[in-house]
């Protein structure tokens, strides 16, 4: 065997070994990312503050997470759809709970808080145009869109925190199934609860008659208007929860102010960065100047 052939073979073997080492390192890096994603981490290795904020919302948001979650994220689309269904069901329950609470408390749910006149005739029928040309924001809507939206966003954050609980262990087949069934059970309970509160509202209105309920609340009842207002109120509550309140609550959790930066989950990204730094310093052979945190 010539010297050039032996040298060529050695070079090929070295290249293969180098490539294998790169693949192993990449697999190890991916495993770390997957584990942190599974834990609902605020920080991923190598990310800046803004990158972490972006990945946190894209991975945990009930709607955005379905389409824009990390490609390595172990929580699949089926579980995320369950999250979203649960969020919609919780919003439905909150919408009806607030309405029933107003009725029981003899408060004015439909008392106008703010009214917008469009002064535009659409159909030519006075009764219909009087509804279509006036937009009323009621006391009930204000409570629903603030308190209701906040509670809905808290539910979304809580269900995600539960799904990321370390009690489920690592990303393995059996643990994945347990996680799926636990979340499914919670969503079923929420859906059942929302259905029951809808029935309570329907029964309340049926027993007292809609006109009587309207009289009790000192509002003017218009046929078919109640269902329209309910759908609008519910749709706006869900939209505000997903597009505004979730980001507000998520940012508060991310910054860690609720946990004074020193408690898990509530301590946010600052707590995780401190914990990772301590872990790195306690690991033999790790350089203090390491940036892969």
């Amino acid at each position: 065997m010539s010297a050039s052939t032996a040298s060529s073979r050695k070079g090929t073997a070295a290249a293969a070994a180098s490539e294998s080492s790169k693949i192993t390192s990449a697999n190890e890096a991916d495993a770390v990312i997957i584990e942190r994603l599974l834990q609902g981490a605020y920080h991923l290795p190598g990310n800046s503050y803004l990158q972490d904020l972006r990945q946190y919302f894209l991975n945990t948001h009930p709607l955005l997470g379905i389409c824009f979650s990390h490609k390595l994220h172990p929580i699949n689309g089926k579980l995320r759809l369950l999250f979203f269904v649960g969020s919609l069901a919780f919003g439905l329950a909150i919408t009806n709970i607030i309405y029933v609470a107003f009725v029981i408390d003899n408060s004015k749910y439909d008392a106008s808080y703010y009214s917008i006149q469009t002064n535009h005739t659409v159909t030519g029928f006075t009764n219909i145009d009087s509804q279509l040309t006036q937009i009323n924001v009621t006391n009930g809507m204000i409570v629903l869109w603030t308190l209701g939206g906040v509670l809905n966003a808290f539910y979304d954050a809580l269900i995600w925190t539960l799904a990321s609980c370390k009690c489920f262990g690592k990303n393995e087949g059996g643990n994945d199934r347990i996680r799926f069934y636990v979340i499914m059970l919670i969503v079923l309970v929420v859906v059942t609860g929302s259905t029951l509160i809808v029935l309570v509202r329907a029964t309340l209105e049926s027993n007292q008659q809609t006109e009587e309920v309207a009289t009790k609340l000192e509002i003017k009842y218009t046929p078919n208007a109640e269902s329209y207002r309910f759908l609008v109120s519910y749709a706006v509550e869900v939209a505000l929860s997903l597009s505004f309140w979730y980001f507000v609550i998520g940012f508060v959790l991310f910054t860690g102010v609720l946990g004074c930066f020193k408690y898990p989950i509530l301590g946010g990204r600052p707590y995780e960065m401190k914990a990772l730094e301590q872990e790195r310093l306690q690991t033999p052979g790790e350089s203090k100047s390491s940036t892969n945190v």
Side-chain angles (χ1 to χ4, degrees):
M1 182 183 299
S2 65
S4 60
T5 301
S7 177
S8 176
R9 288 184 176 179
K10 288 181 180 179
T12 301
S18 176
E19 187 66 25
S20 176
S21 177
K22 290 180 180 179
I23 293 175
T24 301
S25 298
N27 289 339
E28 290 176 353
D30 286 351
V32 171
I33 292 176
I34 290 172
E35 186 65 23
R36 293 195 59 75
L37 287 171
L38 188 61
Q39 295 172 359
Y42 296 103
H43 172 69
L44 293 183
N47 275 7
S48 65
Y49 186 91
L50 291 179
Q51 287 174 327
D52 276 335
L53 184 62
R54 179 177 180 273
Q55 70 83 17
Y56 173 71
F57 281 125
L58 290 182
N59 286 318
T60 63
H61 193 276
L63 186 57
L64 295 179
I66 296 175
C67 302
F68 303 108
S69 60
H70 197 285
K71 62 181 181 180
L72 295 177
H73 209 297
I75 294 183
N76 57 35
K78 291 191 297 183
L79 195 54
R80 291 183 180 276
L81 283 175
L82 272 180
F83 290 159
F84 187 57
V85 170
S87 180
L88 295 178
F90 191 86
L92 180 62
I94 286 294
T95 301
N96 286 280
I97 287 172
I98 290 176
Y99 176 85
V100 171
F102 266 83
V103 173
I104 293 175
D105 194 49
N106 293 326
S107 301
K108 300 178 180 179
Y109 181 93
D110 281 339
S112 181
Y113 181 84
Y114 185 75
S115 179
I116 301 174
Q117 290 284 350
T118 62
N119 295 321
H120 177 65
T121 301
V122 178
T123 66
F125 295 96
T126 305
N127 291 337
I128 297 177
D129 291 336
S130 64
Q131 298 175 44
L132 297 178
T133 59
Q134 180 173 314
I135 302 173
N136 285 319
V137 178
T138 68
N139 291 338
M141 289 178 179
I142 295 297
V143 175
L144 176 63
W145 297 344
T146 52
L147 177 62
V150 169
L151 291 176
N152 201 344
F154 261 118
Y155 165 82
D156 293 334
L158 180 62
I159 199 72
W160 179 262
T161 302
L162 179 61
S164 305
C165 180
K166 292 183 178 180
C167 60
F168 293 115
K170 296 186 177 181
N171 184 34
E172 298 173 354
N175 294 329
D176 263 355
R177 285 193 293 271
I178 294 174
R179 179 182 292 105
F180 181 83
Y181 291 138
V182 168
I183 299 302
M184 178 182 287
L185 178 61
I186 293 173
V187 171
L188 285 176
V189 170
V190 172
V191 170
T192 302
S194 65
T195 303
L196 288 175
I197 193 62
V198 167
L199 292 176
V200 169
R201 175 175 178 169
T203 302
L204 180 64
E205 292 181 348
S206 176
N207 289 344
Q208 298 182 359
Q209 298 300 319
T210 310
E211 292 85 357
E212 182 181 342
V213 174
T215 301
K216 186 177 180 181
L217 295 176
E218 299 177 5
I219 61 173
K220 182 180 179 182
Y221 172 69
T222 304
N224 299 323
E226 182 61 36
S227 60
Y228 170 76
R229 286 195 295 269
F230 165 74
L231 290 175
V232 170
S233 300
Y234 171 58
V236 173
E237 186 276 325
V238 171
L240 284 174
S241 174
L242 293 175
S243 64
F244 178 71
W245 291 117
Y246 186 85
F247 291 99
V248 171
I249 291 172
F251 183 72
V252 171
L253 291 173
F254 183 86
T255 58
V257 294
L258 289 180
C260 301
F261 317 111
K262 57 183 180 180
Y263 298 108
I265 300 177
L266 295 180
R269 185 179 188 270
Y271 169 81
E272 286 193 1
M273 298 300 291
K274 291 179 181 178
L276 288 172
E277 180 67 13
Q278 291 177 358
E279 181 181 345
R280 182 178 62 80
L281 293 175
Q282 293 173 0
T283 301
E286 287 285 341
S287 170
K288 292 187 178 181
S289 61
S290 175
T291 58
N292 189 28
V293 176

